[in-house]
PDB file of all heavy atoms in Angstrom:
ATOM      1  N   ARG A1331      34.874 -40.490 -12.065  1.00  0.00           N
ATOM      2  CA  ARG A1331      34.800 -40.680 -13.509  1.00  0.00           C
ATOM      3  C   ARG A1331      35.627 -41.906 -13.911  1.00  0.00           C
ATOM      4  O   ARG A1331      35.252 -42.642 -14.812  1.00  0.00           O
ATOM      5  CB  ARG A1331      35.333 -39.440 -14.206  1.00  0.00           C
ATOM      6  CG  ARG A1331      34.928 -39.295 -15.648  1.00  0.00           C
ATOM      7  CD  ARG A1331      35.467 -37.985 -16.175  1.00  0.00           C
ATOM      8  NE  ARG A1331      34.936 -37.676 -17.490  1.00  0.00           N
ATOM      9  CZ  ARG A1331      35.567 -36.929 -18.374  1.00  0.00           C
ATOM     10  NH1 ARG A1331      36.744 -36.415 -18.081  1.00  0.00           N
ATOM     11  NH2 ARG A1331      35.029 -36.674 -19.537  1.00  0.00           N
ATOM     12  N   PHE A1334      42.666 -44.993 -12.109  1.00  0.00           N
ATOM     13  CA  PHE A1334      43.725 -45.482 -12.990  1.00  0.00           C
ATOM     14  C   PHE A1334      44.891 -45.972 -12.152  1.00  0.00           C
ATOM     15  O   PHE A1334      45.270 -45.349 -11.169  1.00  0.00           O
ATOM     16  CB  PHE A1334      44.212 -44.355 -13.910  1.00  0.00           C
ATOM     17  CG  PHE A1334      43.095 -43.687 -14.644  1.00  0.00           C
ATOM     18  CD1 PHE A1334      42.376 -42.669 -14.060  1.00  0.00           C
ATOM     19  CD2 PHE A1334      42.753 -44.093 -15.921  1.00  0.00           C
ATOM     20  CE1 PHE A1334      41.324 -42.069 -14.726  1.00  0.00           C
ATOM     21  CE2 PHE A1334      41.700 -43.498 -16.590  1.00  0.00           C
ATOM     22  CZ  PHE A1334      40.988 -42.485 -15.988  1.00  0.00           C
ATOM     23  N   TYR A1336      48.982 -46.966 -12.473  1.00  0.00           N
ATOM     24  CA  TYR A1336      50.184 -46.841 -13.274  1.00  0.00           C
ATOM     25  C   TYR A1336      51.343 -47.494 -12.523  1.00  0.00           C
ATOM     26  O   TYR A1336      51.379 -47.503 -11.298  1.00  0.00           O
ATOM     27  CB  TYR A1336      50.552 -45.367 -13.503  1.00  0.00           C
ATOM     28  CG  TYR A1336      49.667 -44.646 -14.483  1.00  0.00           C
ATOM     29  CD1 TYR A1336      48.473 -44.072 -14.060  1.00  0.00           C
ATOM     30  CD2 TYR A1336      50.027 -44.520 -15.814  1.00  0.00           C
ATOM     31  CE1 TYR A1336      47.651 -43.405 -14.951  1.00  0.00           C
ATOM     32  CE2 TYR A1336      49.217 -43.848 -16.721  1.00  0.00           C
ATOM     33  CZ  TYR A1336      48.035 -43.297 -16.279  1.00  0.00           C
ATOM     34  OH  TYR A1336      47.237 -42.633 -17.175  1.00  0.00           O
ATOM     35  N   GLN A1338      55.534 -47.067 -12.266  1.00  0.00           N
ATOM     36  CA  GLN A1338      56.621 -46.170 -12.638  1.00  0.00           C
ATOM     37  C   GLN A1338      57.950 -46.715 -12.158  1.00  0.00           C
ATOM     38  O   GLN A1338      58.133 -46.952 -10.956  1.00  0.00           O
ATOM     39  CB  GLN A1338      56.398 -44.757 -12.076  1.00  0.00           C
ATOM     40  CG  GLN A1338      57.427 -43.758 -12.589  1.00  0.00           C
ATOM     41  CD  GLN A1338      57.127 -42.329 -12.192  1.00  0.00           C
ATOM     42  OE1 GLN A1338      56.462 -42.061 -11.201  1.00  0.00           O
ATOM     43  NE2 GLN A1338      57.615 -41.377 -12.990  1.00  0.00           N
ATOM     44  N   GLY A1341      63.126 -42.794 -12.611  1.00  0.00           N
ATOM     45  CA  GLY A1341      63.596 -41.935 -13.678  1.00  0.00           C
ATOM     46  C   GLY A1341      62.843 -42.073 -14.986  1.00  0.00           C
ATOM     47  O   GLY A1341      63.261 -41.512 -16.002  1.00  0.00           O
ATOM     48  N   LYS A1342      61.722 -42.799 -14.990  1.00  0.00           N
ATOM     49  CA  LYS A1342      60.952 -43.012 -16.219  1.00  0.00           C
ATOM     50  C   LYS A1342      59.522 -42.517 -16.032  1.00  0.00           C
ATOM     51  O   LYS A1342      59.075 -42.241 -14.924  1.00  0.00           O
ATOM     52  CB  LYS A1342      60.962 -44.480 -16.607  1.00  0.00           C
ATOM     53  CG  LYS A1342      62.363 -45.009 -16.865  1.00  0.00           C
ATOM     54  CD  LYS A1342      62.347 -46.342 -17.564  1.00  0.00           C
ATOM     55  CE  LYS A1342      63.765 -46.760 -17.909  1.00  0.00           C
ATOM     56  NZ  LYS A1342      63.801 -48.074 -18.569  1.00  0.00           N
ATOM     57  N   GLY A1343      58.801 -42.394 -17.156  1.00  0.00           N
ATOM     58  CA  GLY A1343      57.416 -41.974 -17.086  1.00  0.00           C
ATOM     59  C   GLY A1343      56.512 -43.102 -16.618  1.00  0.00           C
ATOM     60  O   GLY A1343      56.821 -44.277 -16.785  1.00  0.00           O
ATOM     61  N   PRO A1344      55.375 -42.751 -16.023  1.00  0.00           N
ATOM     62  CA  PRO A1344      54.418 -43.778 -15.599  1.00  0.00           C
ATOM     63  C   PRO A1344      53.912 -44.590 -16.780  1.00  0.00           C
ATOM     64  O   PRO A1344      53.618 -44.042 -17.840  1.00  0.00           O
ATOM     65  CB  PRO A1344      53.292 -42.963 -14.951  1.00  0.00           C
ATOM     66  CG  PRO A1344      53.921 -41.667 -14.560  1.00  0.00           C
ATOM     67  CD  PRO A1344      54.947 -41.399 -15.616  1.00  0.00           C
ATOM     68  N   PHE A1346      50.916 -46.980 -18.129  1.00  0.00           N
ATOM     69  CA  PHE A1346      49.511 -47.266 -17.856  1.00  0.00           C
ATOM     70  C   PHE A1346      49.282 -48.755 -17.648  1.00  0.00           C
ATOM     71  O   PHE A1346      49.780 -49.586 -18.409  1.00  0.00           O
ATOM     72  CB  PHE A1346      48.665 -46.759 -19.028  1.00  0.00           C
ATOM     73  CG  PHE A1346      47.230 -47.174 -18.960  1.00  0.00           C
ATOM     74  CD1 PHE A1346      46.368 -46.584 -18.048  1.00  0.00           C
ATOM     75  CD2 PHE A1346      46.733 -48.156 -19.798  1.00  0.00           C
ATOM     76  CE1 PHE A1346      45.047 -46.954 -17.979  1.00  0.00           C
ATOM     77  CE2 PHE A1346      45.422 -48.543 -19.737  1.00  0.00           C
ATOM     78  CZ  PHE A1346      44.571 -47.945 -18.825  1.00  0.00           C
ATOM     79  N   THR A1349      42.336 -49.134 -16.106  1.00  0.00           N
ATOM     80  CA  THR A1349      41.297 -48.164 -15.793  1.00  0.00           C
ATOM     81  C   THR A1349      40.103 -48.912 -15.212  1.00  0.00           C
ATOM     82  O   THR A1349      39.686 -49.946 -15.749  1.00  0.00           O
ATOM     83  CB  THR A1349      40.808 -47.408 -17.035  1.00  0.00           C
ATOM     84  OG1 THR A1349      41.914 -46.843 -17.718  1.00  0.00           O
ATOM     85  CG2 THR A1349      39.847 -46.296 -16.638  1.00  0.00           C
ATOM     86  N   TYR A1351      36.078 -48.115 -13.790  1.00  0.00           N
ATOM     87  CA  TYR A1351      35.074 -47.060 -13.879  1.00  0.00           C
ATOM     88  C   TYR A1351      33.986 -47.154 -12.816  1.00  0.00           C
ATOM     89  O   TYR A1351      33.414 -46.138 -12.422  1.00  0.00           O
ATOM     90  CB  TYR A1351      34.397 -47.089 -15.256  1.00  0.00           C
ATOM     91  CG  TYR A1351      35.322 -46.763 -16.387  1.00  0.00           C
ATOM     92  CD1 TYR A1351      35.763 -47.760 -17.264  1.00  0.00           C
ATOM     93  CD2 TYR A1351      35.774 -45.464 -16.601  1.00  0.00           C
ATOM     94  CE1 TYR A1351      36.615 -47.460 -18.317  1.00  0.00           C
ATOM     95  CE2 TYR A1351      36.634 -45.167 -17.653  1.00  0.00           C
ATOM     96  CZ  TYR A1351      37.039 -46.169 -18.501  1.00  0.00           C
ATOM     97  OH  TYR A1351      37.882 -45.884 -19.539  1.00  0.00           O
ATOM     98  N   GLN A1391      39.996 -39.515 -11.574  1.00  0.00           N
ATOM     99  CA  GLN A1391      39.348 -38.404 -12.265  1.00  0.00           C
ATOM    100  C   GLN A1391      37.952 -38.245 -11.698  1.00  0.00           C
ATOM    101  O   GLN A1391      37.227 -39.223 -11.524  1.00  0.00           O
ATOM    102  CB  GLN A1391      39.250 -38.671 -13.769  1.00  0.00           C
ATOM    103  CG  GLN A1391      40.481 -38.350 -14.559  1.00  0.00           C
ATOM    104  CD  GLN A1391      40.313 -38.601 -16.029  1.00  0.00           C
ATOM    105  OE1 GLN A1391      39.465 -39.374 -16.441  1.00  0.00           O
ATOM    106  NE2 GLN A1391      41.128 -37.959 -16.832  1.00  0.00           N
ATOM    107  N   ASN A1397      39.355 -33.694 -17.403  1.00  0.00           N
ATOM    108  CA  ASN A1397      40.374 -34.729 -17.582  1.00  0.00           C
ATOM    109  C   ASN A1397      41.430 -34.726 -16.484  1.00  0.00           C
ATOM    110  O   ASN A1397      42.356 -35.508 -16.532  1.00  0.00           O
ATOM    111  CB  ASN A1397      41.074 -34.520 -18.924  1.00  0.00           C
ATOM    112  CG  ASN A1397      40.198 -34.941 -20.076  1.00  0.00           C
ATOM    113  OD1 ASN A1397      38.993 -34.956 -19.963  1.00  0.00           O
ATOM    114  ND2 ASN A1397      40.819 -35.278 -21.179  1.00  0.00           N
ATOM    115  N   GLN A1398      41.319 -33.838 -15.524  1.00  0.00           N
ATOM    116  CA  GLN A1398      42.390 -33.681 -14.542  1.00  0.00           C
ATOM    117  C   GLN A1398      42.515 -34.902 -13.655  1.00  0.00           C
ATOM    118  O   GLN A1398      41.528 -35.435 -13.156  1.00  0.00           O
ATOM    119  CB  GLN A1398      42.116 -32.449 -13.680  1.00  0.00           C
ATOM    120  CG  GLN A1398      43.267 -32.090 -12.768  1.00  0.00           C
ATOM    121  CD  GLN A1398      43.113 -30.697 -12.215  1.00  0.00           C
ATOM    122  OE1 GLN A1398      42.304 -29.909 -12.685  1.00  0.00           O
ATOM    123  NE2 GLN A1398      43.890 -30.368 -11.206  1.00  0.00           N
ATOM    124  N   PHE A1399      43.769 -35.360 -13.456  1.00  0.00           N
ATOM    125  CA  PHE A1399      44.081 -36.476 -12.579  1.00  0.00           C
ATOM    126  C   PHE A1399      44.423 -35.962 -11.183  1.00  0.00           C
ATOM    127  O   PHE A1399      45.103 -34.959 -11.040  1.00  0.00           O
ATOM    128  CB  PHE A1399      45.319 -37.222 -13.082  1.00  0.00           C
ATOM    129  CG  PHE A1399      45.059 -38.334 -14.054  1.00  0.00           C
ATOM    130  CD1 PHE A1399      43.830 -38.550 -14.611  1.00  0.00           C
ATOM    131  CD2 PHE A1399      46.098 -39.187 -14.413  1.00  0.00           C
ATOM    132  CE1 PHE A1399      43.599 -39.576 -15.518  1.00  0.00           C
ATOM    133  CE2 PHE A1399      45.885 -40.219 -15.322  1.00  0.00           C
ATOM    134  CZ  PHE A1399      44.652 -40.412 -15.862  1.00  0.00           C
ATOM    135  N   PHE A1401      46.572 -37.595  -8.311  1.00  0.00           N
ATOM    136  CA  PHE A1401      47.457 -38.727  -8.056  1.00  0.00           C
ATOM    137  C   PHE A1401      47.588 -38.988  -6.567  1.00  0.00           C
ATOM    138  O   PHE A1401      47.641 -38.059  -5.758  1.00  0.00           O
ATOM    139  CB  PHE A1401      48.859 -38.456  -8.599  1.00  0.00           C
ATOM    140  CG  PHE A1401      49.029 -38.784 -10.050  1.00  0.00           C
ATOM    141  CD1 PHE A1401      48.945 -37.787 -10.998  1.00  0.00           C
ATOM    142  CD2 PHE A1401      49.292 -40.077 -10.461  1.00  0.00           C
ATOM    143  CE1 PHE A1401      49.111 -38.079 -12.347  1.00  0.00           C
ATOM    144  CE2 PHE A1401      49.464 -40.386 -11.807  1.00  0.00           C
ATOM    145  CZ  PHE A1401      49.371 -39.377 -12.739  1.00  0.00           C
ATOM    146  N   GLY A1402      47.681 -40.271  -6.208  1.00  0.00           N
ATOM    147  CA  GLY A1402      48.150 -40.634  -4.886  1.00  0.00           C
ATOM    148  C   GLY A1402      49.664 -40.529  -4.825  1.00  0.00           C
ATOM    149  O   GLY A1402      50.326 -40.293  -5.847  1.00  0.00           O
TER     150      GLY A1402
ATOM    151  N   TYR B1206      49.385 -32.839 -21.958  1.00  0.00           N
ATOM    152  CA  TYR B1206      49.617 -32.379 -20.593  1.00  0.00           C
ATOM    153  C   TYR B1206      51.111 -32.240 -20.326  1.00  0.00           C
ATOM    154  O   TYR B1206      51.909 -33.015 -20.834  1.00  0.00           O
ATOM    155  CB  TYR B1206      49.083 -33.419 -19.586  1.00  0.00           C
ATOM    156  CG  TYR B1206      47.690 -33.929 -19.850  1.00  0.00           C
ATOM    157  CD1 TYR B1206      47.445 -34.879 -20.834  1.00  0.00           C
ATOM    158  CD2 TYR B1206      46.609 -33.468 -19.090  1.00  0.00           C
ATOM    159  CE1 TYR B1206      46.164 -35.342 -21.076  1.00  0.00           C
ATOM    160  CE2 TYR B1206      45.322 -33.931 -19.318  1.00  0.00           C
ATOM    161  CZ  TYR B1206      45.114 -34.879 -20.322  1.00  0.00           C
ATOM    162  OH  TYR B1206      43.842 -35.349 -20.546  1.00  0.00           O
ATOM    163  N   TYR B1208      53.527 -32.279 -16.870  1.00  0.00           N
ATOM    164  CA  TYR B1208      53.626 -32.531 -15.436  1.00  0.00           C
ATOM    165  C   TYR B1208      55.067 -32.291 -14.992  1.00  0.00           C
ATOM    166  O   TYR B1208      56.003 -32.486 -15.744  1.00  0.00           O
ATOM    167  CB  TYR B1208      53.300 -33.990 -15.091  1.00  0.00           C
ATOM    168  CG  TYR B1208      51.858 -34.400 -15.212  1.00  0.00           C
ATOM    169  CD1 TYR B1208      51.328 -34.829 -16.418  1.00  0.00           C
ATOM    170  CD2 TYR B1208      51.030 -34.401 -14.091  1.00  0.00           C
ATOM    171  CE1 TYR B1208      50.004 -35.242 -16.512  1.00  0.00           C
ATOM    172  CE2 TYR B1208      49.700 -34.818 -14.177  1.00  0.00           C
ATOM    173  CZ  TYR B1208      49.207 -35.233 -15.388  1.00  0.00           C
ATOM    174  OH  TYR B1208      47.894 -35.651 -15.472  1.00  0.00           O
ATOM    175  N   GLN B1210      57.633 -33.634 -11.854  1.00  0.00           N
ATOM    176  CA  GLN B1210      57.729 -34.646 -10.809  1.00  0.00           C
ATOM    177  C   GLN B1210      59.061 -34.541 -10.080  1.00  0.00           C
ATOM    178  O   GLN B1210      60.120 -34.670 -10.686  1.00  0.00           O
ATOM    179  CB  GLN B1210      57.556 -36.053 -11.375  1.00  0.00           C
ATOM    180  CG  GLN B1210      57.464 -37.121 -10.294  1.00  0.00           C
ATOM    181  CD  GLN B1210      57.212 -38.510 -10.851  1.00  0.00           C
ATOM    182  OE1 GLN B1210      57.562 -38.812 -11.989  1.00  0.00           O
ATOM    183  NE2 GLN B1210      56.579 -39.373 -10.053  1.00  0.00           N
ATOM    184  N   PRO B1215      54.449 -37.770  -6.404  1.00  0.00           N
ATOM    185  CA  PRO B1215      53.663 -38.034  -7.611  1.00  0.00           C
ATOM    186  C   PRO B1215      53.798 -36.890  -8.604  1.00  0.00           C
ATOM    187  O   PRO B1215      54.226 -35.789  -8.229  1.00  0.00           O
ATOM    188  CB  PRO B1215      52.229 -38.131  -7.079  1.00  0.00           C
ATOM    189  CG  PRO B1215      52.243 -37.295  -5.835  1.00  0.00           C
ATOM    190  CD  PRO B1215      53.616 -37.442  -5.247  1.00  0.00           C
ATOM    191  N   PRO B1216      53.442 -37.120  -9.850  1.00  0.00           N
ATOM    192  CA  PRO B1216      53.460 -36.030 -10.831  1.00  0.00           C
ATOM    193  C   PRO B1216      52.502 -34.908 -10.432  1.00  0.00           C
ATOM    194  O   PRO B1216      51.406 -35.166  -9.930  1.00  0.00           O
ATOM    195  CB  PRO B1216      52.994 -36.718 -12.122  1.00  0.00           C
ATOM    196  CG  PRO B1216      53.264 -38.174 -11.924  1.00  0.00           C
ATOM    197  CD  PRO B1216      53.063 -38.417 -10.469  1.00  0.00           C
ATOM    198  N   LEU B1218      50.427 -31.677 -11.963  1.00  0.00           N
ATOM    199  CA  LEU B1218      49.961 -31.115 -13.220  1.00  0.00           C
ATOM    200  C   LEU B1218      50.399 -29.654 -13.345  1.00  0.00           C
ATOM    201  O   LEU B1218      50.281 -28.873 -12.393  1.00  0.00           O
ATOM    202  CB  LEU B1218      48.436 -31.207 -13.290  1.00  0.00           C
ATOM    203  CG  LEU B1218      47.793 -30.730 -14.581  1.00  0.00           C
ATOM    204  CD1 LEU B1218      48.194 -31.624 -15.755  1.00  0.00           C
ATOM    205  CD2 LEU B1218      46.279 -30.685 -14.422  1.00  0.00           C
ATOM    206  N   GLU B1231      47.945 -24.531 -13.976  1.00  0.00           N
ATOM    207  CA  GLU B1231      47.887 -24.692 -12.523  1.00  0.00           C
ATOM    208  C   GLU B1231      48.790 -23.697 -11.810  1.00  0.00           C
ATOM    209  O   GLU B1231      49.697 -24.087 -11.063  1.00  0.00           O
ATOM    210  CB  GLU B1231      48.254 -26.136 -12.134  1.00  0.00           C
ATOM    211  CG  GLU B1231      47.213 -27.162 -12.542  1.00  0.00           C
ATOM    212  CD  GLU B1231      45.966 -27.085 -11.690  1.00  0.00           C
ATOM    213  OE1 GLU B1231      45.986 -26.395 -10.650  1.00  0.00           O
ATOM    214  OE2 GLU B1231      44.951 -27.692 -12.064  1.00  0.00           O
ATOM    215  N   LEU B1263      57.345 -34.440 -17.337  1.00  0.00           N
ATOM    216  CA  LEU B1263      56.627 -35.487 -18.055  1.00  0.00           C
ATOM    217  C   LEU B1263      55.564 -34.876 -18.953  1.00  0.00           C
ATOM    218  O   LEU B1263      54.852 -33.955 -18.558  1.00  0.00           O
ATOM    219  CB  LEU B1263      55.937 -36.432 -17.062  1.00  0.00           C
ATOM    220  CG  LEU B1263      56.845 -37.259 -16.165  1.00  0.00           C
ATOM    221  CD1 LEU B1263      56.065 -37.825 -14.987  1.00  0.00           C
ATOM    222  CD2 LEU B1263      57.493 -38.380 -16.958  1.00  0.00           C
ATOM    223  N   SER B1267      46.002 -37.821 -24.127  1.00  0.00           N
ATOM    224  CA  SER B1267      44.811 -38.647 -24.008  1.00  0.00           C
ATOM    225  C   SER B1267      43.783 -38.171 -25.025  1.00  0.00           C
ATOM    226  O   SER B1267      43.877 -37.060 -25.570  1.00  0.00           O
ATOM    227  CB  SER B1267      44.218 -38.570 -22.595  1.00  0.00           C
ATOM    228  OG  SER B1267      43.562 -37.329 -22.381  1.00  0.00           O
ATOM    229  N   GLN B1268      42.790 -39.001 -25.260  1.00  0.00           N
ATOM    230  CA  GLN B1268      41.626 -38.514 -25.970  1.00  0.00           C
ATOM    231  C   GLN B1268      40.922 -37.511 -25.062  1.00  0.00           C
ATOM    232  O   GLN B1268      40.982 -37.630 -23.839  1.00  0.00           O
ATOM    233  CB  GLN B1268      40.665 -39.674 -26.278  1.00  0.00           C
ATOM    234  CG  GLN B1268      41.236 -40.743 -27.177  1.00  0.00           C
ATOM    235  CD  GLN B1268      41.312 -40.307 -28.631  1.00  0.00           C
ATOM    236  OE1 GLN B1268      41.056 -39.169 -28.972  1.00  0.00           O
ATOM    237  NE2 GLN B1268      41.677 -41.242 -29.505  1.00  0.00           N
ATOM    238  N   VAL B1269      40.248 -36.546 -25.619  1.00  0.00           N
ATOM    239  CA  VAL B1269      39.584 -35.537 -24.796  1.00  0.00           C
ATOM    240  C   VAL B1269      38.434 -36.157 -24.017  1.00  0.00           C
ATOM    241  O   VAL B1269      38.203 -35.828 -22.863  1.00  0.00           O
ATOM    242  CB  VAL B1269      39.085 -34.371 -25.672  1.00  0.00           C
ATOM    243  CG1 VAL B1269      38.256 -33.394 -24.840  1.00  0.00           C
ATOM    244  CG2 VAL B1269      40.263 -33.654 -26.299  1.00  0.00           C
ATOM    245  N   TYR B1272      39.682 -41.431 -21.044  1.00  0.00           N
ATOM    246  CA  TYR B1272      40.328 -40.966 -19.837  1.00  0.00           C
ATOM    247  C   TYR B1272      41.784 -41.360 -19.638  1.00  0.00           C
ATOM    248  O   TYR B1272      42.491 -40.656 -18.947  1.00  0.00           O
ATOM    249  CB  TYR B1272      39.522 -41.453 -18.635  1.00  0.00           C
ATOM    250  CG  TYR B1272      38.033 -41.275 -18.825  1.00  0.00           C
ATOM    251  CD1 TYR B1272      37.150 -42.318 -18.607  1.00  0.00           C
ATOM    252  CD2 TYR B1272      37.517 -40.070 -19.259  1.00  0.00           C
ATOM    253  CE1 TYR B1272      35.797 -42.163 -18.788  1.00  0.00           C
ATOM    254  CE2 TYR B1272      36.167 -39.898 -19.452  1.00  0.00           C
ATOM    255  CZ  TYR B1272      35.300 -40.946 -19.208  1.00  0.00           C
ATOM    256  OH  TYR B1272      33.971 -40.800 -19.392  1.00  0.00           O
ATOM    257  N   GLU B1273      42.228 -42.453 -20.251  1.00  0.00           N
ATOM    258  CA  GLU B1273      43.588 -42.879 -19.965  1.00  0.00           C
ATOM    259  C   GLU B1273      44.593 -41.875 -20.511  1.00  0.00           C
ATOM    260  O   GLU B1273      44.506 -41.468 -21.660  1.00  0.00           O
ATOM    261  CB  GLU B1273      43.892 -44.249 -20.601  1.00  0.00           C
ATOM    262  CG  GLU B1273      43.097 -45.403 -20.072  1.00  0.00           C
ATOM    263  CD  GLU B1273      41.840 -45.684 -20.882  1.00  0.00           C
ATOM    264  OE1 GLU B1273      41.732 -45.148 -22.002  1.00  0.00           O
ATOM    265  OE2 GLU B1273      40.993 -46.429 -20.391  1.00  0.00           O
ATOM    266  N   GLN B1274      45.533 -41.506 -19.673  1.00  0.00           N
ATOM    267  CA  GLN B1274      46.640 -40.666 -20.118  1.00  0.00           C
ATOM    268  C   GLN B1274      47.860 -41.555 -20.332  1.00  0.00           C
ATOM    269  O   GLN B1274      48.175 -42.405 -19.504  1.00  0.00           O
ATOM    270  CB  GLN B1274      46.962 -39.594 -19.073  1.00  0.00           C
ATOM    271  CG  GLN B1274      45.850 -38.568 -18.920  1.00  0.00           C
ATOM    272  CD  GLN B1274      46.195 -37.475 -17.940  1.00  0.00           C
ATOM    273  OE1 GLN B1274      47.363 -37.227 -17.637  1.00  0.00           O
ATOM    274  NE2 GLN B1274      45.186 -36.785 -17.445  1.00  0.00           N
ATOM    275  N   PHE B1276      51.913 -41.537 -20.855  1.00  0.00           N
ATOM    276  CA  PHE B1276      53.030 -40.684 -20.505  1.00  0.00           C
ATOM    277  C   PHE B1276      54.256 -40.971 -21.364  1.00  0.00           C
ATOM    278  O   PHE B1276      54.512 -42.114 -21.753  1.00  0.00           O
ATOM    279  CB  PHE B1276      53.416 -40.879 -19.041  1.00  0.00           C
ATOM    280  CG  PHE B1276      52.460 -40.248 -18.073  1.00  0.00           C
ATOM    281  CD1 PHE B1276      51.288 -40.880 -17.718  1.00  0.00           C
ATOM    282  CD2 PHE B1276      52.746 -39.005 -17.518  1.00  0.00           C
ATOM    283  CE1 PHE B1276      50.397 -40.292 -16.821  1.00  0.00           C
ATOM    284  CE2 PHE B1276      51.864 -38.406 -16.625  1.00  0.00           C
ATOM    285  CZ  PHE B1276      50.693 -39.048 -16.280  1.00  0.00           C
ATOM    286  N   GLY B1277      55.025 -39.922 -21.605  1.00  0.00           N
ATOM    287  CA  GLY B1277      56.333 -40.081 -22.200  1.00  0.00           C
ATOM    288  C   GLY B1277      57.365 -40.459 -21.155  1.00  0.00           C
ATOM    289  O   GLY B1277      57.063 -40.514 -19.964  1.00  0.00           O
ATOM    290  N   PRO B1278      58.615 -40.696 -21.584  1.00  0.00           N
ATOM    291  CA  PRO B1278      59.672 -41.112 -20.660  1.00  0.00           C
ATOM    292  C   PRO B1278      60.199 -39.985 -19.785  1.00  0.00           C
ATOM    293  O   PRO B1278      60.890 -40.243 -18.798  1.00  0.00           O
ATOM    294  CB  PRO B1278      60.772 -41.626 -21.588  1.00  0.00           C
ATOM    295  CG  PRO B1278      60.542 -40.887 -22.862  1.00  0.00           C
ATOM    296  CD  PRO B1278      59.061 -40.685 -22.977  1.00  0.00           C
TER     297      PRO B1278
END
Side-chain angles (χ1 to χ4, degrees):
Chain A
R1331 199 177 189 207
F1334 308 85
Y1336 286 85
Q1338 187 173 25
K1342 300 194 175 179
F1346 171 73
T1349 307
Y1351 295 107
Q1391 277 181 337
N1397 286 25
Q1398 188 165 346
F1399 271 9
F1401 275 98
Chain B
Y1206 312 78
Y1208 288 86
Q1210 188 177 26
L1218 183 65
E1231 291 288 348
L1263 295 164
S1267 74
Q1268 298 285 7
V1269 174
Y1272 316 129
E1273 295 93 14
Q1274 293 183 21
F1276 286 81

